[in-house]
Amino acid sequence: MKTTMTNRRGFLRAGAAGLALGVAAPAYLRAQGAPLKIGHLTPTTGFLGPLGEYAQMGIKLAVDHINANGGAGGRQVELIMEDSVNPQTASTKAERMFERDQVDMIIGEISSASCLTISQVAARYGKVFVNTGGNSDSLRGQDCNRYMFHVETQNSMYVNAEGQYFKTQDMVDGKNWYMMTADYAFGHDLLAAAKAFLDTNGGQIAGEDLVPTDATDFSSYMLKIRQAQPDVVALNLAGTQITNFFKQYGEFGLDFTLGGFGFDTVSAWAAGAQNFRGTWPNVWNHRVQNDASQAFVQAFTEAYGKPPENQAWGDYNAGLIMAKAVAEAGDAGGDALVDYLESDEAKFDLMKNRQGYFRPSDHQLIQEIYAITALPADEVQNEYDIFTTSEPLPGSDEPLETLAQSVTGGTCSL
């Protein structure tokens, strides 16, 4: 099954916005109003910096396509981008964007802790914040709010997808797992979801470590893993942590089964084919074989000289989603956008086999995801195509919300 797409050339000529937004509708194009101002915050420095760079490329391409196709509801989009740096700085910059720059909404972020602080500011101003990279279940649970929506999938969805894979490989029930976890909100939340999965399915924890976000030397952890002799080494790490771990894992000659419950393809690319291994959950990747995905890959590659990473996909699609929301709601105000995004009519083409939608109870975008598996180094043809991708998960005969069950993070009260 392929997504609705006339052909690849048409996608590139019109830009994705023309197809995703239906901007050809005359009512949306008659009057050019004031610009739609979108604030974009994401970390471009620190251990999440490589992801942030792709996020900025994705949102810029989305705005180019939207504006080339008549704008959002007839309004040209003006993009204001900044490095969010850390949760405190993210909060300060979000407030400045709403107060000084008069942005209509904020899109972006990768750090779950920064997502929380931005969302709190957005709620005070009654404006929408679209999270494109924060995975924490608590953002969809006890820390949710009316104005925060999530294009990125949540930790429990990744855990359920990866966990099902390991169950098919007989690597859960009665098996010993060693857990490596990033020591901040994302990692803590992911560890809780992973432990819940193992407890339910008979897995045992042979050891666990919290890893500082600025850690670069993993040698002491490698020695502990070797001593523990686990069946599986599971990574709940992020950003450059994963890249450094991959490289040193190979250097130490460890060959325990390796996997994890959250992953970004930039980490695989940075590690290189010689070091990347295992099977990992992924919201989208450049090897997804449908017309819309491959047209996006081509457009992005022509713009930036390299294929898009999954973070670029998230910010690009968030831009298209919100442009469509403004057009359909006829208003960029927070309450009008929330009402539309929660409605039954709000369905979105995501370059996947099935359309996605925001679950009204917690504002999570319900969608298909994938599993990627490292190719043997001698089968790799270039620096980017170093893994294979699965068919969409859940399977076509399963409800789309199958993976978004048994979530942790508390109860959402919008």
Side-chain angles (χ1 to χ4, degrees):
M1 176 180 178
K2 293 187 177 181
T3 52
T4 54
M5 173 65 55
T6 304
N7 56 49
R8 188 173 302 178
R9 183 175 299 171
F11 179 100
L12 297 173
R13 182 176 61 248
L19 293 163
L21 307 182
V23 294
Y28 298 156
L29 297 178
R30 289 194 191 113
Q32 292 291 327
L36 176 71
K37 291 188 176 182
I38 296 179
H40 186 267
L41 287 169
T42 201
T44 57
T45 53
F47 77 112
L48 296 175
L51 284 167
E53 292 175 7
Y54 275 98
Q56 288 191 339
M57 288 186 276
I59 190 65
K60 286 192 291 186
L61 188 62
V63 169
D64 287 345
H65 284 173
I66 293 164
N67 286 340
N69 284 273
R75 299 170 64 179
Q76 290 287 288
V77 177
E78 180 181 326
L79 182 63
I80 300 167
M81 300 192 306
E82 291 202 39
D83 178 1
S84 59
V85 185
N86 57 47
Q88 287 182 317
T89 303
S91 176
T92 299
K93 290 188 174 184
E95 185 150 9
R96 187 169 65 199
M97 282 183 168
F98 287 126
E99 192 68 36
R100 184 192 69 185
D101 301 320
Q102 295 291 296
V103 299
D104 295 290
M105 66 189 71
I106 291 177
I107 292 173
E109 200 43 63
I110 299 168
S111 161
S112 292
S114 294
C115 283
L116 177 59
T117 62
I118 294 170
S119 73
Q120 291 167 340
V121 175
R124 290 202 302 271
Y125 282 86
K127 300 289 187 178
V128 167
F129 164 55
V130 183
N131 160 32
T132 60
N135 304 99
S136 171
D137 282 335
S138 65
L139 292 173
R140 290 85 169 166
Q142 62 196 23
D143 294 326
C144 73
N145 75 55
R146 171 174 168 78
Y147 298 98
M148 177 165 54
F149 289 80
H150 311 278
V151 168
E152 173 62 280
T153 48
Q154 62 194 100
N155 282 335
S156 58
M157 294 172 72
Y158 286 135
V159 168
N160 288 335
E162 183 78 349
Q164 291 303 315
Y165 166 77
F166 276 113
K167 285 177 68 175
T168 66
Q169 304 300 305
D170 193 28
M171 295 300 292
V172 180
D173 188 21
K175 303 299 183 180
N176 292 317
W177 288 55
Y178 200 106
M179 312 287 277
M180 298 284 295
T181 301
D183 192 9
Y184 79 114
F186 156 77
H188 300 167
D189 192 281
L190 186 54
L191 178 62
K195 284 182 172 180
F197 175 83
L198 291 178
D199 185 61
T200 299
N201 292 280
Q204 309 294 324
I205 296 180
E208 58 180 298
D209 289 298
L210 291 175
V211 181
T213 57
D214 61 352
T216 57
D217 183 359
F218 286 82
S219 57
S220 62
Y221 302 113
M222 299 299 173
L223 295 174
K224 293 170 71 175
I225 291 170
R226 178 179 287 164
Q227 183 176 10
Q229 293 290 301
D231 297 299
V232 180
V233 178
L235 305 186
N236 304 316
L237 302 177
T240 56
Q241 288 181 316
I242 300 177
T243 301
N244 290 324
F245 184 93
F246 277 145
K247 292 178 178 179
Q248 293 170 50
Y249 195 79
E251 291 170 359
F252 271 76
L254 301 180
D255 60 359
F256 306 111
T257 297
L258 187 62
F261 295 115
F263 195 72
D264 300 291
T265 50
V266 69
S267 298
W269 294 338
Q274 296 295 329
N275 296 307
F276 178 51
R277 62 188 71 187
T279 296
W280 308 83
N282 187 248
V283 67
W284 177 91
N285 65 84
H286 76 290
R287 306 207 73 179
V288 171
Q289 295 300 311
N290 61 51
D291 287 348
S293 282
Q294 289 308 304
F296 172 57
V297 171
Q298 185 174 339
F300 189 96
T301 303
E302 288 180 358
Y304 299 112
K306 56 186 176 182
E309 205 265 353
N310 52 268
Q311 191 62 53
W313 171 92
D315 288 74
Y316 180 87
N317 277 279
L320 298 192
I321 286 170
M322 295 313 296
K324 178 177 181 178
V326 170
E328 294 293 340
D331 190 344
D335 291 319
L337 291 175
V338 170
D339 288 345
Y340 169 72
L341 293 171
E342 290 184 341
S343 72
D344 292 338
E345 291 74 34
K347 301 288 195 300
F348 305 99
D349 293 323
L350 302 171
M351 308 174 195
K352 301 179 179 183
N353 286 2
R354 289 192 266 182
Q355 290 184 312
Y357 59 90
F358 289 104
R359 185 165 53 189
S361 62
D362 60 3
H363 294 173
Q364 173 61 51
L365 183 64
I366 303 300
Q367 59 182 303
E368 297 167 318
I369 64 175
Y370 303 85
I372 62 172
T373 300
L375 279 169
D378 59 3
E379 295 182 18
V380 171
Q381 300 298 313
N382 59 64
E383 63 183 302
Y384 297 108
D385 298 339
I386 66 175
F387 51 79
T388 60
T389 188
S390 70
E391 291 297 312
L393 303 169
S396 59
D397 59 340
E398 298 178 276
L400 203 53
E401 292 196 24
T402 298
L403 298 178
Q405 306 295 324
S406 303
V407 298
T408 58
T411 301
C412 176
S413 179
L414 294 172

